[in-house]
Amino acid sequence: MTTATDAIRPGGGPSATGHAEEKDYLNVDNSIMSWLFTLDHKRIGLMYLASVLFFFFFGGVLALLIRTELFTPGADFLTYFVSGKNAAELKLAAADLYNQLFTLHGAIMIFLFLIPSIPATFGNFFLPLMLGAKDVAFPRLNLFSFYIYVLGALFFLYTLASGGLDTGWTFYTPYSTSTNTAVIASTFGAFILGFSSILTGVNFVVTVHKMRAPRMTWTRIPLFLWALYSTSLIQILATPVLAITLLLLIFERALGIGIFDPAMGGDPVLYQHFFWFYSHPAVYIMILPAFGVISETISVHSRKHIFGYGFIAASSVSIALIGFLVWGHHMFVSGQSPLASLLFSMITFAVAVPTAIKVFSWVATLYKGSIVFNAPMLNALSFIFLFTIGGLTGLFLATLATDVHLHDTYFVVAHFHYVMVGGTLVAFLAAIHHWWAKMFGRHYNELCGRISAIFVFIGFNLTFFSQFVMGSQGMPRRYFTYDQVSPELLSIYTRMHQISTVGSMILGLALTFTLFYLTHSLFFGKKVHNDSDLRWTGESMEWKAATPPSPHNFHEQPIAYNGPYDFKEIDHSLGGGH
Amino acid sequence: MSQVADHAHTEHPPHLHHHFHSSAQQAASAKLGMWVFIAQEILFFSGLFMAYIALRYLYPKTFLAAHEHLDVSMGALNTVFLITSSLTMALAVRAAQTSNKKWAEINLLLTIGFALAFCVVKYFEYSHKFHLGIFPGKYYAYTHIPGNPEVFFGLYFVMTGMHALHVVVGIGLLLWIYLKTRTGAFSAAYYSPVENVGLYWHLVDLIWIFLFPLLYLVK
Ligand code: HEM
Ligand SMILES: [Cu+2]
């Protein structure tokens, strides 16, 4: 371990003499075709990045429309977008539009943004780099996954053009078999997207098993990869169940085959079991990669060896596995047997244990580290804070007696936004800042990054903490108006909705600002000429590649002589002190 | 350090993709990938089996009455076809592994033949059902079975239909492997595609082995 100095520095970027003229993966070929048919995992990652960001902003606009409508208790904002002969008709049409908005917002955010977000972008880009591999195991399959993603996304856009969708992102039967909106197009889209996710998972699992650099033992794999590995297991084992569920729903709707719809002899609770058997594990598809990002950023930006490497790695895998056994907590009031509810409740509590282990380990990593409050670190700290609230409120919902009151209220909405936005999105922001310079060879503006992190935090909390309050007061989710309640409730709901709407505007502005300065930096940002220009580096292998990496990642096969968190400066100080 | 780098350049057979170090690594990756994919397939079908369990539990009498209208001998014949095709498939893989090109070709053709025979039998079964008015879902029009047989037959069509779709995909894959075998692409040094299509084919067989008793032998 003492000779870590000559560790992994192959080729080492443009600084390495002789390679100065070397092309990187971005400028190696500029034609459109070279992008569309690329097999380079880095380029595929960037194509995903552009796509998921597009859909994120699309879904975001829908969210702002929803929030604007809810600013006042009655029906108003959305009535301007619909037609009707009198006030009552107008209100009904606006209510329909509202249902479409929240459905598309949820479905787009989940299937087109959150599920692929971190794995398909940063996972694709960094998984081979962090393993010291030239590419993922199946590059063609990787490109294929991307195009399936695009195809699935087109189905969603088609849904939008052909009458929209108003079932909620959960497609619950029997409503989804009877509504006259475009259920088949959207579920078929989600079906296709599922295969994109499965194939990415297959690729990652095989790559982690078979493509590791020499000496990269399982305990020298960066924690981001342990997280991606666990995520891939879920993608492979849970997504096919969603696929068959949606396919059955399509058959039911198109041919009248009775599986889920009681009118046709089916069982609607069966649908819920099937749906949540995928969709609960799916929330871990969304959050586990985020955990991985946080492990990397916390460690690098406090220059400290991650605390409890083994525990964090094992907790990722155990969350993935236990996550398969808790789906029934979405069905406490759906008429499942009390015994089943009891067991699901207990196992749900059990998931919180490995989750808490992670949070404690991150905090312990920070302890006595040399913390730098740059944009990735601010986002990572924000993540720890927000995710903890999201996770803990999950426990309120996992408690049978409280869930009866909180189910289908804004409390649930706040819970999942704390984990999905406060968790996954904020980790996504941490990742994008953490690796930006490595990916593009340009620096973003650090001040802008910090301002954005702070305003995202403020806007987010205003938007969603208020929803905890109104949810605990009984404000139901998916309601278009809230003017038919007692005066006391009306004043609480109105105030909280107004805070929430203002917060969402701040959040929206902060994210637009982020998009703006990041895009700006692509063209005008300060260039990274060699590794010493980087504002930070880590000890995991992606930092040993050139900036930006060369098309085949490394000039020579790197060898993992040390672990991913063996920071030299800290090792020295420890050597003196102990 | 340079040892490893050199090693990467020692061996360069035409089938070896540039991002792998060795044929062994490439073959192991392909095989693991296929196994993981098969896990995915099993979970996919498990949804159908769960739906079957739930609905049979809801309507035990209907299932009993309706399944009498499936043709056990046809189902049994198809079972024999598929099991035999698994054998010929295994022989084809073995032949590829031992660079026995002719024997591999013969066995692949036999496998394709059994697969096609399976489809022909299925075709007769389906058309007989349609003839009686036993259509999937809301098109169901055969009134001689008590209970709600349309649920049973809906499930029957979905389950066997999804399986048949896998058979058809399998035939395509087998044809591709057969044509490549003829060009001499496979040998003891490189036979991953044959092996992987074999794994897939065994899975298709295995699923049928579960479908057959569940649907045809309810009693
Ligand atoms: C400690 C961890 C967690 C626990 C104990 C937990 C518990 C729960 C429970 C019991 C519900 C059902 C509430 C109801 O409908 O009445 C729920 C809903 C939900 N949770 Fe969590 N959760 C946790 C983490 C997460 C994470 C990490 C995510 C996503 C990244 C997530 C996303 C969701 C979503 C989307 C819903 C609502 C689904 C819907 O009805 O539309 N949860 N959670
Ligand atoms: Cu859940």
Side-chain angles (χ1 to χ4, degrees):
Chain A
M1 277 294 104
T2 43
T3 54
T5 39
D6 65 353
I8 17 183
R9 268 205 194 276
S15 55
T17 49
H19 290 304
E21 315 284 284
E22 189 81 38
K23 294 265 188 190
D24 59 54
Y25 80 103
L26 287 170
N27 64 15
V28 64
D29 187 345
N30 280 323
S31 68
I32 290 281
M33 286 302 153
S34 76
W35 278 90
L36 293 183
F37 293 104
T38 181
L39 297 180
D40 184 340
H41 63 100
K42 301 181 286 301
R43 284 184 164 206
I44 294 174
L46 292 194
M47 294 200 291
Y48 267 118
L49 182 64
S51 322
V52 300
L53 285 179
F54 171 79
F55 285 107
F56 174 70
F57 277 89
F58 187 38
V61 170
L62 299 178
L64 291 181
L65 294 177
I66 296 172
R67 285 302 339 151
T68 312
E69 168 59 46
L70 293 173
F71 192 75
T72 52
D76 32 49
F77 176 63
L78 291 184
T79 56
Y80 295 112
F81 296 87
V82 293
S83 53
K85 284 195 228 35
N86 50 39
E89 259 185 30
L90 216 54
K91 187 171 168 183
L92 271 181
D96 276 343
L97 177 61
Y98 182 83
N99 291 345
Q100 303 226 357
L101 286 178
F102 78 67
T103 299
L104 279 167
H105 162 70
I108 286 177
M109 285 304 197
I110 293 205
F111 295 116
L112 290 170
F113 175 67
L114 284 165
I115 298 267
S117 61
I118 297 176
T121 57
F122 302 109
N124 251 323
F125 201 105
F126 288 108
L127 181 127
L129 283 166
M130 287 174 140
L131 289 173
K134 286 191 190 136
D135 208 319
V136 293
F138 310 118
R140 260 178 281 171
L141 191 68
N142 201 17
L143 183 65
F144 183 60
S145 315
F146 173 72
Y147 281 110
I148 316 184
Y149 170 85
V150 173
L151 184 68
L154 289 178
F155 270 89
F156 268 83
L157 295 180
Y158 172 78
T159 303
L160 204 66
S162 66
L165 178 73
D166 65 353
T167 60
W169 76 279
T170 47
F171 307 113
Y172 267 20
T173 53
Y175 186 63
S176 55
T177 44
S178 54
T179 170
N180 55 11
T181 51
V183 175
I184 293 189
S186 52
T187 44
F188 197 65
F191 174 83
I192 295 173
L193 289 169
F195 282 97
S196 167
S197 178
I198 292 171
L199 295 179
T200 303
V202 172
N203 226 332
F204 284 7
V205 164
V206 176
T207 309
V208 171
H209 271 278
K210 301 292 178 198
M211 311 283 284
R212 302 198 303 278
R215 298 213 186 184
M216 168 129 355
T217 55
W218 282 91
T219 52
R220 283 188 189 164
I221 298 178
L223 287 166
F224 181 49
L225 299 194
W226 272 103
L228 285 177
Y229 183 81
S230 316
T231 308
S232 302
L233 291 182
I234 308 177
Q235 286 174 304
I236 294 161
L237 297 178
T239 319
V241 177
L242 176 76
I244 189 67
T245 308
L246 296 179
L247 209 57
L248 286 173
L249 181 58
I250 291 172
F251 288 144
E252 183 159 64
R253 211 181 139 86
L255 301 173
I257 288 176
I259 308 271
F260 303 129
D261 186 341
M264 304 174 193
D267 180 349
V269 180
L270 185 66
Y271 177 85
Q272 298 188 17
H273 278 295
F274 275 30
F275 183 82
W276 291 115
F277 183 85
Y278 165 76
S279 293
H280 182 81
V283 306
Y284 294 114
I285 297 179
M286 307 174 211
I287 200 69
L288 280 172
F291 289 161
V293 166
I294 299 308
S295 298
E296 301 300 321
T297 39
I298 290 280
S299 174
V300 167
H301 301 286
S302 54
R303 311 307 300 169
K304 202 160 152 245
H305 194 290
I306 192 87
F307 181 89
Y309 173 94
F311 279 98
I312 296 184
S315 65
S316 287
V317 181
S318 57
I319 287 174
L321 298 181
I322 307 176
F324 275 98
L325 306 175
V326 302
W327 77 89
H329 65 217
H330 295 273
M331 302 169 57
F332 288 154
V333 298
S334 299
Q336 79 187 350
S337 81
L339 178 65
S341 289
L342 194 73
L343 291 175
F344 280 126
S345 170
M346 274 166 51
I347 306 173
T348 304
F349 281 116
V351 187
V353 175
T355 313
I357 286 177
K358 283 184 189 291
V359 176
F360 286 132
S361 300
W362 293 323
V363 175
T365 306
L366 289 168
Y367 180 67
K368 289 200 172 168
S370 358
I371 298 173
V372 187
F373 290 102
N374 50 24
M377 186 54 141
L378 287 175
N379 278 304
L381 293 174
S382 163
F383 172 97
I384 297 183
F385 186 79
L386 300 176
F387 176 77
T388 304
I389 296 180
L392 287 176
T393 51
L395 296 178
F396 297 27
L397 298 170
T399 311
L400 294 175
T402 44
D403 186 60
V404 172
H405 296 278
L406 296 174
H407 178 71
D408 263 350
T409 67
Y410 264 83
F411 193 90
V412 176
V413 177
H415 155 68
F416 66 70
H417 281 91
Y418 262 81
V419 278
M420 303 204 293
V421 180
T424 310
L425 176 70
V426 169
F428 187 88
L429 291 173
I432 213 168
H433 291 94
H434 181 63
W435 281 311
W436 189 261
K438 194 70 193 169
M439 293 168 81
F440 296 108
R442 300 251 187 194
H443 284 299
Y444 65 87
N445 182 312
E446 189 57 50
L447 181 65
C448 289
R450 292 180 200 190
I451 292 175
S452 139
I454 290 167
F455 277 91
V456 166
F457 182 81
I458 295 173
F460 174 84
N461 279 300
L462 286 175
T463 313
F464 293 107
F465 202 83
S466 49
Q467 300 189 358
F468 277 129
V469 179
M470 63 174 126
S472 64
Q473 297 300 312
M475 171 75 208
R477 67 190 282 201
R478 295 179 169 171
Y479 271 39
F480 168 51
T481 56
Y482 49 94
D483 46 3
Q484 317 266 331
V485 293
S486 69
E488 310 93 87
L489 279 185
L490 185 64
S491 84
I492 299 178
Y493 291 174
T494 312
R495 185 164 314 131
M496 289 304 144
H497 271 302
Q498 288 179 348
I499 295 176
S500 182
T501 301
V502 171
S504 69
M505 303 292 166
I506 299 177
L507 183 58
L509 283 177
L511 290 171
T512 314
F513 173 61
T514 310
L515 184 71
F516 177 77
Y517 71 71
L518 287 180
T519 315
H520 180 269
S521 83
L522 278 185
F523 303 101
F524 309 105
K526 219 170 115 239
K527 264 204 153 136
V528 180
H529 295 290
N530 56 50
D531 277 2
S532 57
D533 283 352
L534 287 175
R535 293 184 188 134
W536 56 78
T537 60
E539 289 303 311
S540 41
M541 277 196 187
E542 81 272 26
W543 299 104
K544 317 300 178 201
T547 309
S550 68
H552 297 302
N553 295 352
F554 303 98
H555 296 297
E556 283 171 58
Q557 172 65 55
I559 298 174
Y561 285 115
N562 53 358
Y565 307 106
D566 296 336
F567 299 107
K568 287 169 201 106
E569 59 270 39
I570 300 292
D571 284 348
H572 285 312
S573 72
L574 283 183
H578 293 260
Chain B
M1 197 133 110
S2 55
Q3 238 175 341
V4 181
D6 290 343
H7 177 75
H9 294 280
T10 47
E11 185 202 12
H12 254 308
H15 61 261
L16 182 61
H17 289 292
H18 81 275
H19 61 290
F20 290 112
H21 293 305
S22 64
S23 299
Q25 188 193 24
Q26 177 171 323
S29 304
K31 197 161 167 180
L32 179 63
M34 195 63 205
W35 275 109
V36 176
F37 185 78
I38 283 180
Q40 179 278 135
E41 286 282 340
I42 291 176
L43 266 295
F44 182 84
F45 275 97
S46 74
L48 287 175
F49 288 116
M50 281 312 297
Y52 175 91
I53 293 173
L55 291 172
R56 178 164 168 184
Y57 182 74
L58 271 181
Y59 311 113
K61 291 213 180 81
T62 302
F63 271 53
L64 203 59
H67 100 282
E68 306 270 3
H69 295 256
L70 296 182
D71 192 332
V72 180
S73 49
M74 293 260 214
L77 184 64
N78 259 349
T79 311
V80 173
F81 284 162
L82 279 193
I83 292 184
T84 321
S85 76
S86 253
L87 174 69
T88 53
M89 186 71 233
L91 290 173
V93 174
R94 188 66 203 149
Q97 284 171 343
T98 51
S99 308
N100 189 344
K101 184 168 160 241
K102 223 30 292 125
W103 188 228
E105 282 172 29
I106 294 174
N107 276 298
L108 284 171
L109 277 183
L110 281 173
T111 313
I112 295 171
F114 284 120
L116 288 173
F118 177 93
C119 293
V120 170
V121 171
K122 209 78 235 142
Y123 168 79
F124 281 118
E125 274 193 273
Y126 276 9
S127 50
H128 178 64
K129 297 274 157 333
F130 293 160
H131 185 73
L132 288 178
I134 299 181
F135 290 105
K138 62 185 172 204
Y139 304 103
Y140 184 86
Y142 183 66
T143 49
H144 302 282
I145 309 173
N148 40 4
E150 70 280 4
V151 172
F152 175 84
F153 284 108
L155 207 54
Y156 164 80
F157 281 116
V158 173
M159 292 177 95
T160 54
M162 286 320 295
H163 178 260
L165 188 69
H166 280 75
V167 173
V168 172
V169 170
I171 293 176
L173 292 172
L174 286 163
L175 266 176
W176 168 62
I177 289 295
Y178 169 71
L179 293 177
K180 281 200 80 168
T181 305
R182 282 185 45 161
T183 65
F186 305 122
S187 67
Y190 174 62
Y191 53 84
S192 291
V194 190
E195 198 177 29
N196 277 348
V197 171
L199 280 173
Y200 172 84
W201 191 251
H202 294 317
L203 173 83
V204 172
D205 183 17
L206 193 69
I207 289 168
W208 178 257
I209 304 232
F210 282 94
L211 285 181
F212 175 59
L214 286 178
L215 293 169
Y216 290 77
L217 310 175
V218 171
K219 249 196 313 230

